[in-house]
Amino acid sequence: MIHSLSLADVVADHARSRPQVTAVVDGDLRLTYPELDARVTRLAGALAGAGVAGGDRVLWLGQNSYAVLELLLACSRLGAVFCPANWRQSEDELRFVLSDLTPSAVVWQPSDLTTALRAGAARTPAWIQAGDEYERLLADATPREFAQVADTEPVLALYTAAFSGRPRAALLSSAALVAHATQLLVVRQMEPGFTFLNNGPLFHVGTMMFCLATLQISGTNVFTPAFDPQEVCRLIDAERVTQAFLFGQMIDAVTQANAGGKYDLSSLRFVSHSAEWDDMITVDDSPWCRSKMGGYGQTEVGGMLTFLGLAEGGAGFAGRPGPLVQVRMLGPDGEEVPAGEVGEICARGKTLFSGYFARPDVNAVKLAGGWHHTGDLGRREPDGTITFIGPKLRMIKSGAENVYPAEVERALKTHPAVADAAVIGVPDPTWHQAVKAIVALRPDAQVTPDDLVEHVRGLLASYKKPRHVEFVDAIPKHGFTPDYDALDRAHGGGNYPGI
Amino acid sequence: MIHSLSLADVVADHARSRPQVTAVVDGDLRLTYPELDARVTRLAGALAGAGVAGGDRVLWLGQNSYAVLELLLACSRLGAVFCPANWRQSEDELRFVLSDLTPSAVVWQPSDLTTALRAGAARTPAWIQAGDEYERLLADATPREFAQVADTEPVLALYTAAFSGRPRAALLSSAALVAHATQLLVVRQMEPGFTFLNNGPLFHVGTMMFCLATLQISGTNVFTPAFDPQEVCRLIDAERVTQAFLFGQMIDAVTQANAGGKYDLSSLRFVSHSAEWDDMITVDDSPWCRSKMGGYGQTEVGGMLTFLGLAEGGAGFAGRPGPLVQVRMLGPDGEEVPAGEVGEICARGKTLFSGYFARPDVNAVKLAGGWHHTGDLGRREPDGTITFIGPKLRMIKSGAENVYPAEVERALKTHPAVADAAVIGVPDPTWHQAVKAIVALRPDAQVTPDDLVEHVRGLLASYKKPRHVEFVDAIPKHGFTPDYDALDRAHGGGNYPGI
């Protein structure tokens, strides 16, 4: 255990090494690291008193709050697993999470949704209301010491998007979260004094990973319930925020909210966006730009796996792997595919998750051969950088060759006449399957099937080109992903290997 | 094993992610990362062929060389332990290392010393001569695959200075070395493109830790056999070196060697030193100055434990702990002492060693209670920064109180009349021991014993002040450390608890 460093250990050291630094700001609440450390110990005691034992789950039903970080750290001290639920989900979806995760304690913010969930839930878990009840429990907890918890134990469960069926809870250990945070410190050159505004959802790894990197470098985490442009401006000004979770339209909304220049946003070091925005903030044009988010990631790798900031004008727009992971493009046989060819992005290293909660069958498949199979396709470019191709939803087997729909779709979409495209496999007596393209054209565009086939042949190996092309008005979708089952039914797909 | 990342794994990923980057320069030899990766695999095969099995030791007897890095990485791939011996040691000392480490293979550079050692050594280990024989073995190795080696296995053994008796080999795992390297990347904001000149001795952790951090960020390691000011200038110029292992008089020597301005040293980003030096190099005055070495460290923590760069004008001159470790000041009872009081510097975390080779008894004491006891005394200042006091060689017990000689010596030496001082414990019928100061005064200085006692009383708790003061011409020394045994014999010391 001499090598163990849990999230709670990180805070325990900050309490000693940075006694004057503000760790948490949320409304009127301000906590230094020693105060946070002491509250985390009391909260761990309160949870233990409410029946939470090592390995048990604690569920948060609510918006962003200081309590999310405190509960995560208290679970770390106690050896339990914390899950911040996605509060944007429906009652049915949250009911699934409750039954899937079987938490021993639920900490909830009152709303119509949580009230309904609580009324319908089994009586088993302890329900603790955020706010007064939470604070009372914390104040009443008997101070006690906790035995060291191995940092290889899971401490955070994040439900990840499911393309089909129900979501799964990815389990992340303290070791993985600390490693991922450290990797962000390296790639973003984060420093003590970093002040992060948690305005993105903490149930998503994108915000959580910056919250934890800020913790790791003994910075200040500022919490706000959800994205409100006016409040974001006020908090950046009041807390001299150096970084926030902002993209595209969110940046426009913040710029508009501060159009009169009421708030001083100059503490924010951010990527250039528009003339108005650049005038308000401090533009960070260093290669280490703290707010540049390019790369490839997913919850299962702890957040980011590859970083554009490590690619310096490379060919692949997903950049290069972080210093604490290994990445390989593997074929269906588990062997590495050569540079320039598409394979499944597979990963190994310090930041990786520990499998999904209570899904031994899925874990065996995803972690086969000692590599995590991301379910996404990528290509290693000759300069070593990585291109993300798309999700590996299924594979077409044409003769001895493997064809991934996402790669052919990408090629089709580079044709100026194509608005959208999806690729399926149709049964073929000679080749087992043949590649079929379903294509929606741009308004008034004129193109023949042969034109498109030739276009793809110019970009990819010949066996990947479609043998059949069918035009439709629109591709049916599940969110951003083609509804392949509907496409198969409508256009004769089927006979996929392994399905 | 999904979370494992060995040193050999790091190079395997660089070979894919940075195929064009130069990894190693040594004389005419230049290796890209793919070339280094391939050679390491061949060398691992050659070592296996020479009889080196997992857990076995491989000893290097020679100066700095690309072979030091290759052998370390090959041992990582193979699961063996590499030890670069201190070639400045005597034949007797190196004979001890051979008998203590019992290596399965010795790679040696010819010299009078290694020839004598080889002649007198048992026939058991394989002796491989650096240069032609090494290259031939590597070229002849049958290519093979190696099973993944857990990064928790020891991979590097470094003999550390022994204050009394024989040195011990501190074992460092890949996980600890990767964590320490990553910590250096964070604290020094190291970037791809970092080019490190290995001009300090690679058998010492001070140079080795920069070599490995350079490897971690996929930089370039330039090797030179030993410190030669002229050659250092030539290599900085030729390889656009960004960092080297230079201090005080070494910097003066380099400045002098380049007095005529023959070499362009402007690629070097270094701490300011003298007007001539500052004119030659690029002065790095950032808080992250890559060459600022302040802090506290030892081989057993992987290199550095605390960093001045994380202290921003704090009170303690050893700075603050790195982000991947915990530090506590513990008293003799194993309990933490309050801030402001002196205790033993104890550490835990990702960078720590795995104990000493074949020293179970010492390991049990050093790692008692889940903390590594550094054997050094320190104090946590009220601002959380750390002051290094001195080695904890022994403790004086005066009544119920513990008095560490190093702390009292430090206080005595702040008196302008004192040139040097050592503190011992003398038997005392009432207090078990009494504090006795042995003091060497500056030439012509005038001071009474009472003056010195009053001086110490003004700086430390009263029970720490000397009860006896004796003046001598000079303090007997072992290197930098007082010879306490000689002092006890000459001045009546003894009755120490636990001795």
Side-chain angles (χ1 to χ4, degrees):
Chain A
M1 294 286 275
I2 200 99
H3 296 110
S4 187
L5 184 73
S6 71
L7 293 178
D9 289 336
V10 169
V11 173
D13 200 80
H14 289 343
R16 290 163 173 81
S17 299
R18 304 251 174 203
Q20 290 95 358
V21 174
T22 301
V24 164
V25 176
D26 189 349
D28 293 336
L29 183 81
R30 305 185 78 84
L31 301 175
T32 62
Y33 274 104
E35 287 164 348
L36 175 64
D37 186 50
R39 281 176 61 93
V40 162
T41 302
R42 297 189 78 86
L43 181 57
L47 291 173
V52 178
D56 283 6
R57 279 79 53 209
V58 174
L59 185 68
W60 168 257
L61 291 178
Q63 294 189 304
N64 283 358
S65 160
Y66 68 96
V68 173
L69 182 58
E70 283 190 346
L71 284 163
L72 172 61
L73 294 169
C75 284
S76 172
R77 193 145 289 167
L78 187 57
V81 178
F82 175 66
C83 176
N86 179 343
W87 48 267
R88 287 178 184 153
Q89 290 180 108
S90 69
E91 186 181 330
D92 176 62
E93 286 170 317
L94 285 171
R95 234 179 255 300
F96 167 77
V97 167
L98 272 169
S99 69
D100 184 63
L101 196 69
T102 55
S104 301
V106 180
V107 187
W108 60 291
Q109 287 179 330
S111 72
D112 288 354
L113 184 59
T114 51
T115 307
L117 278 170
R118 195 188 175 194
R123 300 293 302 269
T124 334
W127 285 72
I128 302 163
Q129 190 172 333
D132 289 350
E133 189 184 358
Y134 174 94
E135 289 296 336
R136 202 163 50 240
L137 263 177
L138 206 150
D140 291 349
T142 318
R144 48 168 284 197
E145 296 247 331
F146 290 91
Q148 202 189 357
V149 174
D151 63 3
T152 47
E153 292 295 318
V155 66
L156 178 65
L158 292 178
Y159 277 85
T160 59
F163 286 110
S164 60
R166 294 294 200 175
R168 301 184 281 245
L171 295 173
L172 291 152
S173 68
S174 270
L177 293 169
V178 165
H180 188 278
T182 309
Q183 201 170 252
L184 269 190
L185 300 186
V186 172
V187 178
R188 294 273 173 266
Q189 296 197 338
M190 289 168 63
E191 304 166 5
F194 198 88
T195 299
F196 183 64
L197 176 59
N198 289 267
N199 64 277
L202 278 163
F203 58 76
H204 190 279
V205 76
T207 302
M208 182 58 92
M209 71 185 187
F210 271 104
C211 176
L212 293 181
T214 303
L215 184 83
Q216 188 79 17
I217 199 64
S218 62
T220 303
N221 272 295
V222 181
F223 295 91
T224 187
F227 178 67
D228 170 339
Q230 188 78 20
E231 179 67 359
V232 163
C233 292
R234 192 188 68 75
L235 285 168
I236 292 172
D237 186 346
E239 302 298 338
R240 310 313 297 143
V241 164
T242 56
Q243 201 55 231
F245 195 76
L246 298 172
F247 298 94
Q249 294 180 335
M250 294 165 87
I251 299 180
D252 293 333
V254 171
T255 311
Q256 218 173 327
N258 198 38
K262 181 173 172 197
Y263 299 106
D264 174 6
L265 310 187
S266 63
S267 59
L268 201 69
R269 297 181 57 83
F270 222 86
V271 70
S272 171
H273 180 76
S274 64
E276 295 83 353
W277 171 254
D278 291 3
D279 281 348
M280 287 178 191
I281 59 132
T282 300
V283 175
D284 182 355
D285 54 7
S286 75
W288 308 105
C289 175
R290 298 346 180 237
S291 59
K292 207 158 64 183
M293 289 290 290
Y296 166 80
Q298 60 173 207
T299 306
E300 290 85 342
V301 301
M304 300 296 285
L305 183 69
T306 66
F307 297 88
L308 196 48
L310 294 175
E312 302 143 25
F317 69 84
R320 287 195 171 91
L324 293 177
V325 294
Q326 282 188 278
V327 175
R328 300 268 169 100
M329 304 301 164
L330 301 186
D333 56 358
E335 294 294 313
E336 190 171 12
V337 304
E341 289 188 22
V342 171
E344 182 167 0
I345 302 174
C346 293
R348 180 191 271 177
K350 311 309 287 178
T351 73
L352 271 95
F353 79 141
S354 307
Y356 301 104
F357 178 69
R359 295 284 195 288
D361 47 339
V362 181
N363 292 339
V365 174
K366 294 287 275 187
L367 301 175
W371 290 89
H372 163 58
H373 292 63
T374 62
D376 285 320
L377 298 171
R379 185 175 58 223
R380 185 76 80 158
E381 305 297 346
D383 65 1
T385 57
I386 287 169
T387 297
F388 167 70
I389 301 292
K392 178 196 169 201
L393 294 165
R394 59 176 98 188
M395 196 182 75
I396 298 166
K397 194 90 190 173
S398 182
E401 303 291 357
N402 305 320
V403 181
Y404 297 108
E407 190 182 9
V408 185
E409 290 162 5
R410 225 176 134 80
L412 283 164
K413 287 180 198 166
T414 63
H415 192 286
V418 174
D420 201 358
V423 164
I424 61 173
V426 292
D428 184 284
T430 310
W431 306 105
H432 179 77
Q433 282 185 301
V435 176
K436 182 168 187 175
I438 318 299
V439 175
L441 295 180
R442 291 188 192 280
D444 306 322
Q446 295 282 340
V447 74
T448 68
D450 280 352
D451 292 342
L452 292 180
V453 171
E454 281 309 304
H455 178 73
V456 173
R457 195 209 292 269
L459 295 171
L460 300 178
S462 174
Y463 66 84
K464 296 178 184 172
K465 69 178 188 296
R467 294 189 169 268
H468 313 278
V469 177
E470 222 172 302
F471 292 109
V472 294
D473 291 338
I475 306 289
K477 295 274 175 99
H478 280 314
F480 295 109
T481 310
D483 181 347
Y484 287 106
D485 291 334
L487 287 163
D488 280 345
R489 282 193 301 273
H491 303 282
N495 212 15
Y496 296 96
I499 294 186
Chain B
M1 295 287 275
I2 200 99
H3 295 109
S4 187
L5 184 75
S6 71
L7 293 179
D9 290 336
V10 169
V11 173
D13 200 79
H14 289 342
R16 290 163 173 82
S17 300
R18 306 248 172 204
Q20 291 94 359
V21 174
T22 302
V24 164
V25 176
D26 189 348
D28 293 336
L29 183 80
R30 304 186 77 83
L31 301 174
T32 62
Y33 274 103
E35 288 164 347
L36 176 64
D37 185 49
R39 282 175 60 93
V40 163
T41 302
R42 297 190 77 85
L43 181 56
L47 290 174
V52 178
D56 282 6
R57 277 78 55 209
V58 174
L59 185 68
W60 168 257
L61 290 178
Q63 294 189 305
N64 283 359
S65 161
Y66 69 97
V68 173
L69 183 57
E70 284 190 346
L71 284 164
L72 172 61
L73 294 170
C75 284
S76 172
R77 193 145 289 166
L78 187 58
V81 178
F82 175 66
C83 176
N86 178 344
W87 49 266
R88 288 179 183 154
Q89 290 180 107
S90 69
E91 186 183 328
D92 175 63
E93 287 170 317
L94 285 171
R95 233 178 256 300
F96 167 76
V97 166
L98 271 169
S99 69
D100 185 62
L101 196 68
T102 55
S104 300
V106 180
V107 187
W108 59 291
Q109 288 179 330
S111 73
D112 289 352
L113 184 58
T114 51
T115 307
L117 280 170
R118 197 188 174 195
R123 300 293 303 269
T124 336
W127 285 72
I128 302 163
Q129 190 173 331
D132 290 348
E133 190 185 358
Y134 174 94
E135 289 296 336
R136 201 162 52 240
L137 263 178
L138 206 151
D140 291 348
T142 319
R144 49 167 285 196
E145 297 246 330
F146 291 90
Q148 201 190 356
V149 174
D151 63 3
T152 47
E153 292 294 318
V155 66
L156 178 65
L158 292 178
Y159 278 85
T160 59
F163 287 111
S164 60
R166 293 293 200 176
R168 301 182 282 242
L171 295 173
L172 291 152
S173 68
S174 271
L177 293 170
V178 165
H180 189 277
T182 310
Q183 201 169 254
L184 268 191
L185 299 186
V186 172
V187 178
R188 294 273 174 264
Q189 296 197 338
M190 288 168 64
E191 304 166 6
F194 197 88
T195 299
F196 182 65
L197 176 59
N198 289 266
N199 63 277
L202 279 162
F203 58 75
H204 189 279
V205 75
T207 301
M208 182 57 92
M209 71 185 190
F210 270 104
C211 177
L212 293 180
T214 303
L215 184 85
Q216 188 80 16
I217 198 65
S218 61
T220 303
N221 272 296
V222 181
F223 296 92
T224 188
F227 178 67
D228 170 340
Q230 189 78 18
E231 180 66 0
V232 163
C233 292
R234 192 189 67 76
L235 285 167
I236 292 172
D237 186 346
E239 303 298 338
R240 311 312 298 143
V241 164
T242 55
Q243 201 56 231
F245 194 77
L246 299 172
F247 297 93
Q249 292 180 335
M250 296 165 85
I251 299 180
D252 293 333
V254 171
T255 311
Q256 218 173 327
N258 198 38
K262 182 175 172 193
Y263 298 107
D264 174 5
L265 310 187
S266 63
S267 59
L268 201 69
R269 298 180 56 82
F270 222 87
V271 70
S272 171
H273 180 76
S274 63
E276 296 83 352
W277 170 255
D278 291 2
D279 282 348
M280 289 179 191
I281 59 133
T282 301
V283 175
D284 183 354
D285 55 6
S286 74
W288 308 103
C289 176
R290 291 3 174 227
S291 60
K292 208 158 61 182
M293 290 288 291
Y296 166 81
Q298 61 174 205
T299 306
E300 289 85 341
V301 299
M304 300 295 287
L305 183 70
T306 66
F307 296 88
L308 196 49
L310 294 174
E312 302 144 25
F317 70 84
R320 287 194 172 90
L324 293 177
V325 294
Q326 283 189 278
V327 175
R328 302 267 169 101
M329 304 302 163
L330 301 185
D333 55 359
E335 293 295 312
E336 190 172 12
V337 302
E341 288 188 21
V342 171
E344 183 168 1
I345 302 174
C346 292
R348 179 191 272 177
K350 310 309 287 179
T351 73
L352 270 93
F353 78 140
S354 308
Y356 301 103
F357 178 69
R359 296 284 196 287
D361 47 339
V362 181
N363 292 339
V365 174
K366 293 288 275 187
L367 303 174
W371 290 89
H372 164 58
H373 292 64
T374 63
D376 285 319
L377 298 171
R379 184 175 58 223
R380 184 76 81 159
E381 305 297 345
D383 65 2
T385 57
I386 287 169
T387 298
F388 167 70
I389 301 291
K392 179 198 168 201
L393 295 165
R394 58 177 96 190
M395 196 182 76
I396 298 166
K397 195 89 191 174
S398 183
E401 302 291 357
N402 305 321
V403 181
Y404 296 109
E407 191 182 9
V408 184
E409 289 162 6
R410 226 176 133 79
L412 282 165
K413 287 179 197 167
T414 62
H415 191 285
V418 173
D420 200 359
V423 164
I424 61 174
V426 292
D428 184 285
T430 311
W431 306 105
H432 178 76
Q433 281 184 301
V435 176
K436 181 169 186 174
I438 318 297
V439 176
L441 294 180
R442 291 188 192 279
D444 306 322
Q446 295 281 341
V447 72
T448 68
D450 281 353
D451 291 342
L452 292 180
V453 171
E454 279 311 302
H455 178 72
V456 173
R457 193 209 295 267
L459 295 170
L460 301 178
S462 175
Y463 67 85
K464 297 178 182 171
K465 71 176 188 297
R467 291 188 173 269
H468 313 279
V469 177
E470 221 171 304
F471 293 109
V472 294
D473 291 337
I475 306 288
K477 294 274 176 98
H478 279 315
F480 294 109
T481 310
D483 181 347
Y484 288 106
D485 290 334
L487 286 163
D488 281 346
R489 282 193 301 273
H491 302 283
N495 211 16
Y496 297 96
I499 295 188

